[in-house]
Amino acid sequence: MRAPHFGGIWEAAVKVAKGHLYRSLQNTKLSFEELATALCEIEAVMNSRPITPLTNDPNDFEALTPGHLLIGTSMRAIPEPSDANTNPDILPYWRRINNVKSHFWQRWQKEYLQELQQRSKWASKSPNIAVGSMVVVHEDNLPPMRWSLGRIQKTFPGEDGNVRVAEIRTAKGTIKRPIHKLALLPC
């Protein structure tokens, strides 16, 4: 069956990618090679998103990504070239592609994290974040394909019993964040 309405989740991802790509490339003129490179970079960005924790181990900060299903490991970013070793004629093209990728990353990361955060009306009670759960921490200015993952170590409930702040253990150390800056990965 090849009808788009049978696709479900992957067709939704294609729609989101097309929308962000359109907004990222709106006034940009790219050659075929530049567009192909930009599309490969954007594909890697989309396939780097965390889906679910790989293990229940509280010391494991690795998450299953679409890249694991495609190539057997998580996607890695292409190292950025240093300006000193690069042909000056190529730099404007590389910077243009890099700007497209960064613009796409900023838009898409915010939307993906908002999808993970369950928003419900205040009239219905939703469960609190549990200790040991894996979360994606919303951090500004992260480079493309870098996700800040951590495990909830401690929760701080408000007077009403709802968790407002959590202490998260990440690979870089322990941080405190309000729960609206956290997106719980589904198990």
Side-chain angles (χ1 to χ4, degrees), residues 103-178:
H103 190 257
F104 182 88
W105 165 256
Q106 289 169 355
R107 287 178 165 272
W108 189 78
Q109 176 200 27
K110 287 177 187 172
E111 185 171 304
Y112 180 67
L113 289 177
Q114 287 175 355
E115 276 182 22
L116 287 177
Q117 293 173 328
Q118 293 182 351
R119 303 202 189 283
S120 59
K121 280 234 175 232
W122 56 89
S124 62
K125 189 153 177 86
S126 60
N128 283 325
I129 292 178
V131 173
S133 300
M134 183 176 259
V135 293
V136 179
V137 182
H138 177 75
E139 296 283 349
D140 294 329
N141 301 324
L142 278 177
M145 300 188 339
R146 298 279 190 252
W147 299 91
S148 182
L149 299 175
R151 297 262 183 187
I152 302 290
Q153 221 175 3
K154 188 176 179 183
T155 58
F156 300 95
E159 292 179 8
D160 58 358
N162 292 330
V163 174
R164 303 281 184 224
V165 178
E167 187 175 280
I168 304 105
R169 190 164 42 92
T170 66
K172 295 181 180 178
T174 303
I175 57 173
K176 272 188 188 176
R177 291 289 187 270

Side-chain angles (χ1 to χ4, degrees), residues 14-138:
V14 168
K15 178 184 175 187
V16 167
K18 282 181 179 178
H20 288 312
L21 188 60
Y22 176 75
R23 287 186 289 278
S24 298
L25 296 174
Q26 198 166 15
N27 295 322
T28 308
K29 293 184 190 311
L30 298 174
S31 68
F32 175 76
E33 289 81 10
E34 291 169 336
L35 181 62
T37 303
L39 289 175
C40 287
E41 296 275 343
I42 289 170
E43 178 187 8
V45 164
M46 291 188 68
N47 288 328
S48 73
R49 72 186 184 277
I51 299 173
T52 188
L54 278 176
T55 66
N56 289 331
D57 181 12
N59 297 321
D60 184 19
F61 301 113
E62 183 89 17
L64 180 69
T65 66
H68 281 94
L69 304 174
L70 293 171
I71 62 172
T73 186
S74 60
M75 295 286 191
R76 301 285 181 226
I78 298 172
E80 297 296 324
S82 96
D83 291 349
N85 300 333
T86 308
N87 181 351
D89 297 334
I90 298 174
L91 280 177
Y93 302 110
W94 181 256
R95 285 190 183 123
R96 190 177 329 161
I97 292 169
N98 214 12
N99 285 342
V100 168
K101 178 177 77 168
S102 295
H103 190 257
F104 182 88
W105 165 256
Q106 289 169 355
R107 287 178 165 272
W108 189 78
Q109 176 200 27
K110 287 177 187 172
E111 185 171 304
Y112 180 67
L113 289 177
Q114 287 175 355
E115 276 182 22
L116 287 177
Q117 293 173 328
Q118 293 182 351
R119 303 202 189 283
S120 59
K121 280 234 175 232
W122 56 89
S124 62
K125 189 153 177 86
S126 60
N128 283 325
I129 292 178
V131 173
S133 300
M134 183 176 259
V135 293
V136 179
V137 182
H138 177 75

